[in-house]
Amino acid sequence: GLKGVNGVDFLACISSIRTRPLMVQAIQALKSKGYTTGVLTNNFHDSRVGSSFPDQGKEFKDVMRSVDVVVESCKVGMRKP
């Protein structure tokens, strides 16, 4: 493991990540012009809740449903730079 990184603190930090309104607007604008949209994640599968996206809230789920493609790092085995 990583020295000095408390797993509980790390999970608490990433679970507080929220959507960015300007990015949501950008996705909507691109989709309205006919562009294909996608999300590239640096996520991991949380076996405690059986999900790659533990409860992030309705807005987050709506954004993820609105894009055409979602590429999850935990599923493809590679992280984005």
Side-chain angles (χ1 to χ4, degrees), residues 5-21:
V5 177
N6 179 301
V8 172
D9 293 340
F10 175 74
L11 290 174
C13 178
I14 64 169
S15 69
S16 66
I17 296 171
R18 298 290 174 240
T19 55
R20 296 181 175 112

Side-chain angles (χ1 to χ4, degrees), residues 27-47:
I27 291 168
Q28 292 168 343
L30 290 168
K31 286 195 69 71
S32 73
K33 294 183 186 295
Y35 286 92
T36 300
T37 58
V39 171
L40 303 174
T41 73
N42 277 341
N43 67 345
F44 61 92
H45 185 81
D46 187 343
S47 59

Side-chain angles (χ1 to χ4, degrees), residues 10-75:
F10 175 74
L11 290 174
C13 178
I14 64 169
S15 69
S16 66
I17 296 171
R18 298 290 174 240
T19 55
R20 296 181 175 112
L22 289 177
M23 292 305 296
V24 173
Q25 290 173 7
I27 291 168
Q28 292 168 343
L30 290 168
K31 286 195 69 71
S32 73
K33 294 183 186 295
Y35 286 92
T36 300
T37 58
V39 171
L40 303 174
T41 73
N42 277 341
N43 67 345
F44 61 92
H45 185 81
D46 187 343
S47 59
R48 297 171 307 156
V49 295
S51 173
S52 305
F53 300 108
D55 188 20
Q56 294 290 328
K58 181 183 180 323
E59 183 181 28
F60 177 84
K61 290 175 185 171
D62 289 347
V63 169
M64 295 305 276
R65 283 189 208 106
S66 75
V67 297
D68 299 296
V69 177
V70 176
V71 179
E72 298 182 62
S73 62
C74 70
K75 291 184 179 176

